[in-house]
Amino acid sequence: MKNLHVLLFSLLLVTGILAGCGDTEDDATDQTETETEQTEQPSSDESAFPVTMEGSDGEEVTIEEKPEAIVSLIPSNTEIAFALGLGNNIVGVSDHDNYPEEVQEKEKIGGLELNIEMILSLEPDLVLAHPTNSPEGIDQLKESGLTVLMVNDATNFDEVYESIEMMAEATGTKEEGENIITSMQDKLSELEEKAAGIPEEEVKSVYIEISPEPEIFTPGNNTFENEILTKINAENIAADQEGWIELSEEAIVEQNPEVIILSYDFVEDPVGQLMGRDAWQDIEAVKNEQVIQVDTDIISRPGPRLAEGAETLAKAIYPDVFEEQ
């Protein structure tokens, strides 16, 4: 069982890194626009090409024409591409992609190990890679003559904005990229403004569990989860430690968090299981039934939905403060 939990946690992290009818004619139009927002062809400036840019690996890449066929090797790149309006141009995605729903219709090109033959058969004009992809696989793609852009490994909101800007420049969708970034920044500003009004004595202590017992993991400093908690004026009980860390039951009980967030769904009834842990019965969050499950992707995947994730956590932790958001 211990090995199973370790494997599940490893897959969770990979997926997180790689691995989120109206009755009237107007209502129908609005619904159609919403459903096609991420797949419709974006506006572009063909005169922007050729464009030469430097990938996060330091290699200079020249994109001769606006890419018509794109392969994305990681879920975060895919989400950004769809948000940029490039859904129709995406011809291949990783096995770990799960958002938006349209990715299920795309060719799968592998997970940790890339299916080089499949990628080559798709004849992409641009491959959107990531530092977590197999270096050997990336080298093979480059040696085969494909244009490969290494998108940065974002670990905070500013770096996510850089990822969006990079991909927007590479695909001739700068305006769409700017709009996405502005929308994210506006949403975060609204949340921070409301959070600033929370009195110090009402600031909640929060424990986020990303892997259940017996190996209990939680995000510490320099994670998206911690950055979000900081923005919404909540206290992460693991903020004094770096990255994803393993905590003992004793340490969590001693910290006595007022709210517990569960960001996994690979076990049956995760909230019920946590609420039933014998050693946790005196924790404030358990006594007051403040244990909430959220989608891990929207609070940990480097993409446009992180702002939505921040709002989700804000409402879960401070429902009275953010109910109007």
Side-chain angles (χ1 to χ4, degrees):
M1 178 61 74
K2 180 174 182 179
N3 290 334
L4 175 61
H5 279 293
V6 172
L7 175 60
L8 290 172
F9 174 61
S10 300
L11 290 175
L12 175 64
L13 290 184
V14 168
T15 303
I17 295 174
L18 294 176
C21 296
D23 294 328
T24 67
E25 182 176 349
D26 287 342
D27 288 341
T29 300
D30 289 343
Q31 181 182 4
T32 300
E33 290 176 350
T34 300
E35 293 174 346
T36 61
E37 182 181 13
Q38 294 183 313
T39 56
E40 63 183 6
Q41 192 71 17
S43 60
S44 65
D45 182 3
E46 298 290 347
S47 64
F49 295 90
V51 59
T52 298
M53 56 194 303
E54 185 177 297
S56 65
D57 55 358
E59 292 196 17
E60 194 172 83
V61 177
T62 296
I63 303 170
E64 298 293 344
E65 300 178 336
K66 174 178 168 54
E68 295 298 330
I70 300 171
V71 166
S72 171
L73 306 184
I74 187 173
S76 57
N77 286 353
T78 303
E79 288 203 22
I80 294 173
F82 269 86
L84 288 170
L86 298 166
N88 291 334
N89 302 101
I90 298 293
V91 295
V93 299
S94 84
D95 294 350
H96 302 287
D97 280 65
N98 59 3
Y99 185 88
E101 287 188 11
E102 289 88 341
V103 299
Q104 304 305 325
E105 303 168 5
K106 306 297 183 179
E107 292 289 347
K108 300 295 182 174
I109 51 78
L112 291 176
E113 294 298 324
L114 300 175
N115 186 335
I116 303 300
E117 291 185 3
M118 172 61 75
I119 296 173
L120 294 177
S121 73
L122 297 173
E123 301 182 347
D125 304 312
L126 177 65
V127 176
L128 297 171
H130 188 269
T132 56
N133 292 133
S134 162
E136 296 78 13
I138 297 300
D139 288 341
Q140 289 184 58
L141 295 177
K142 292 178 179 178
E143 292 167 2
S144 299
L146 295 185
T147 301
V148 179
L149 177 64
M150 187 68 70
V151 180
N152 62 312
D153 183 14
T155 58
N156 56 56
F157 277 89
D158 287 340
E159 290 176 353
V160 171
Y161 302 150
E162 292 175 11
S163 299
I164 295 171
E165 289 174 344
M166 179 184 295
M167 289 178 55
E169 181 179 1
T171 58
T173 56
K174 281 190 174 183
E175 182 178 348
E176 287 80 1
E178 292 171 358
N179 290 339
I180 293 169
I181 293 170
T182 298
S183 176
M184 292 179 68
Q185 291 173 331
D186 288 347
K187 172 58 67 178
L188 292 173
S189 293
E190 292 175 12
L191 294 173
E192 288 180 285
E193 183 177 352
K194 282 204 167 187
I198 299 173
E200 184 176 353
E201 64 273 13
E202 295 181 15
V203 171
K204 299 286 184 68
S205 60
V206 180
Y207 161 64
I208 299 179
E209 185 168 287
I210 60 178
S211 178
E213 59 180 356
E215 292 83 23
I216 301 173
F217 282 84
T218 189
N221 191 32
N222 287 323
T223 62
F224 286 114
E225 292 91 335
N226 186 72
E227 185 174 8
I228 290 173
L229 291 180
T230 300
K231 289 180 180 296
I232 63 174
N233 202 5
E235 179 186 343
N236 179 8
I237 69 167
D240 60 338
Q241 301 185 62
E242 293 293 314
W244 288 281
I245 55 176
E246 185 174 6
L247 291 181
S248 66
E249 280 195 315
E250 292 77 12
I252 298 167
V253 171
E254 182 178 353
Q255 290 282 353
N256 193 24
E258 297 168 274
V259 179
I260 294 177
I261 302 294
L262 303 181
S263 65
Y264 54 86
D265 58 5
F266 51 81
V267 299
E268 184 178 354
D269 187 18
V271 172
Q273 285 198 27
L274 186 142
M275 294 282 289
R277 295 174 189 171
D278 292 338
W280 296 50
Q281 296 308 302
D282 289 331
I283 293 178
E284 287 297 313
V286 174
K287 289 194 298 184
N288 297 322
E289 298 186 350
Q290 294 301 297
V291 180
I292 305 106
Q293 182 181 10
V294 302
D295 179 358
T296 183
D297 292 340
I298 64 173
I299 62 173
S300 63
R301 181 175 291 173
R305 290 195 295 163
L306 278 174
E308 175 188 338
E311 183 175 26
T312 297
L313 282 186
K315 290 181 175 180
I317 297 167
Y318 297 113
D320 293 339
V321 176
F322 294 97
E323 60 184 4
E324 296 180 1
Q325 281 290 339

